[in-house]
């Protein structure tokens, strides 16, 4: 397959037919164009623009690149694990997880504006923000040719469900924390919330598929799908949760999203400890 020019690829079929004919067939020319790298950088540029806003003009806010980089690295390293999927589907599935990470980064950077006095109103602000940035990050990186557009539209359904599940998991984890911020407890509640939500969403779908197939679908496949989706959502959220535990700026913003009550200062007339009284 010699490359004859900057935009033309010549493909020649070669087969040894013995004395039955020529070894090489007629060359077929294919004109190609180098794909632009700009769409791949647009989600990163969107995060950069959020960092340039006044509330994020501090060094602590720029640590948001660390969890984004972790998710991007995992996206590249996990490609071999999804080789069993049809061509193109694996890449799009991983890009869906990466797009969700950009949505979470936007929520972390805008949390000071999304948090409201009522928990439900906070959720109604968080969910569209997560959906908008995730959808933008996913769509700008896709192939919008005739063949690729149909697959893109199909993948919008699992992306929308993933956004809904992640937003609800954060909401439910805030309820479960009971107004107290405990990192390990928060990680556990988010994982359990993701698992429970995927079970609730996928159980009717699998039950319908069981009826249509006459009960031939194994239940093991159902639980594998639930666990894979739960793990994918938790792995995407985990670097951002760790950042919130280590970074005071994002910790306070996450507390606002979870509606964690601020710690009450000790009363001024509190009695002194015995050792201080003796001194």
């Amino acid at each position: 397959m010699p490359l004859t020019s900057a935009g033309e690829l010549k493909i020649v079929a070669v087969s040894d037919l013995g004395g039955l004919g020529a070894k090489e067939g007629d060359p077929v020319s294919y004109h190609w164009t180098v794909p632009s790298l700009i769409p791949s950088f647009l989600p990163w540029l969107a995060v950069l623009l959020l960092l340039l806003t006044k509330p994020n003009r501090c060094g602590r806010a720029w640590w948001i690149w660390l969890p984004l980089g972790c998710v991007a690295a995992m996206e590249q390293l996990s490609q071999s694990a999804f080789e069993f999927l049809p061509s193109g589907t694996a890449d799009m599935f991983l890009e869906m997880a990466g797009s969700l990470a950009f949505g979470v980064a936007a929520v972390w950077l805008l949390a000071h504006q999304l948090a409201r006095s009522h928990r439900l109103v906070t959720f109604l602000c968080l969910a569209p923000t997560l959906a908008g940035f995730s959808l933008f990050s996913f769509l700008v990186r896709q192939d919008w040719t005739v063949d690729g557009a149909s697959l893109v539209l199909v993948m919008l359904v699992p992306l929308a469900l993933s956004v809904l599940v992640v937003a609800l998991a954060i909401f439910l984890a805030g309820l479960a924390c009971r107004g107290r911020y405990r990192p390990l407890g928060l990680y556990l509640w988010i994982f359990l919330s993701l698992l429970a939500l995927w079970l609730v969403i996928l159980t009717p779908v699998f039950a319908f598929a069981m009826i249509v197939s006459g009960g031939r679908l194994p239940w093991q496949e159902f639980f594998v799908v639930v666990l894979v989706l739960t793990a994918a959502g938790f792995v995407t959220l985990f670097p951002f949760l760790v950042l919130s535990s280590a970074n005071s700026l994002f910790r306070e913003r996450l507390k606002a999203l979870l509606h964690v009550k601020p710690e009450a200062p000790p009363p001024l007339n509190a009695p002194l400890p015995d050792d201080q009284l003796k001194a």
Side-chain angles (χ1 to χ4, degrees):
M1 297 185 293
L3 187 63
T4 58
S5 64
E8 183 179 359
L9 184 69
K10 276 194 173 183
I11 303 174
V12 179
V14 179
S15 179
D16 188 1
L17 301 178
L20 299 179
K23 293 183 178 181
E24 296 184 0
D26 296 331
V28 177
S29 298
Y30 174 73
H31 295 274
W32 59 280
T33 56
V34 178
S36 175
L37 296 177
I38 294 178
S40 299
F41 286 105
L42 287 178
W44 299 92
L45 180 60
V47 174
L48 178 61
L49 293 177
L50 291 179
L51 285 169
L52 296 179
T53 59
K54 188 175 181 179
N56 293 319
R57 292 176 190 171
C58 61
R60 291 176 298 169
W62 285 75
W63 282 94
I64 197 68
W65 296 118
L66 184 59
L68 274 176
C70 290
V71 175
M74 287 187 290
E75 182 181 343
Q76 296 298 322
L77 295 175
S78 301
Q79 289 183 352
S80 59
F82 293 93
E83 292 180 348
F84 63 92
L85 294 175
S87 178
T89 306
D91 293 339
M92 197 165 294
F93 180 81
L94 293 172
E95 286 181 5
M96 185 179 68
S99 301
L100 185 62
F102 283 105
V104 176
V107 169
W108 256 235
L109 291 172
L110 296 173
H112 57 285
Q113 297 178 353
L114 302 177
R116 294 293 187 267
S117 57
H118 196 280
R119 193 184 301 272
L120 180 60
V121 180
T122 300
F123 169 77
L124 294 177
C125 294
L126 183 153
T129 303
L130 180 63
F133 276 86
S134 299
L135 186 64
F136 166 77
S137 302
F138 180 73
L139 293 180
V140 296
R141 298 189 294 171
Q142 300 308 313
D143 177 18
W144 287 101
T145 60
V146 177
D147 296 332
S150 57
L151 183 57
V152 172
L153 296 177
V154 170
M155 294 300 292
L156 290 180
V157 176
L159 177 60
L161 289 176
S162 299
V163 167
L164 177 62
V165 167
V166 168
L168 284 173
I170 295 174
F171 175 79
L172 294 176
L175 289 174
C177 287
R178 298 181 180 180
R180 297 180 60 187
Y181 177 74
R182 293 171 294 182
L184 294 180
L186 176 62
Y187 302 163
L188 177 61
W189 280 117
I190 284 185
F191 179 83
L192 294 177
S193 298
L194 291 170
L195 180 62
L197 288 167
W198 280 121
L199 280 171
V200 170
I201 291 174
L202 294 181
T203 296
V205 177
F206 188 79
F208 177 76
M210 286 281 289
I211 295 173
V212 173
S213 65
R216 290 191 296 270
L217 288 178
W219 279 96
Q220 292 87 339
E221 294 185 3
F222 167 71
F223 291 111
V224 168
V225 172
V226 170
L227 290 176
V228 167
L229 291 174
T230 300
F234 185 75
V235 168
T236 302
L237 277 174
F238 185 71
F240 295 93
L241 296 173
V242 172
L243 174 66
S244 298
S245 300
N247 186 297
S248 59
L249 174 68
F250 292 112
R251 180 165 60 250
E252 294 304 317
R253 292 185 178 183
L254 181 58
K255 286 182 179 180
L257 291 177
L258 298 173
H259 284 256
V260 173
K261 298 177 182 178
E263 297 181 2
L268 297 177
N269 56 351
L272 294 174
D274 293 339
D275 56 347
Q276 294 186 16
L277 288 174
K278 293 179 180 179

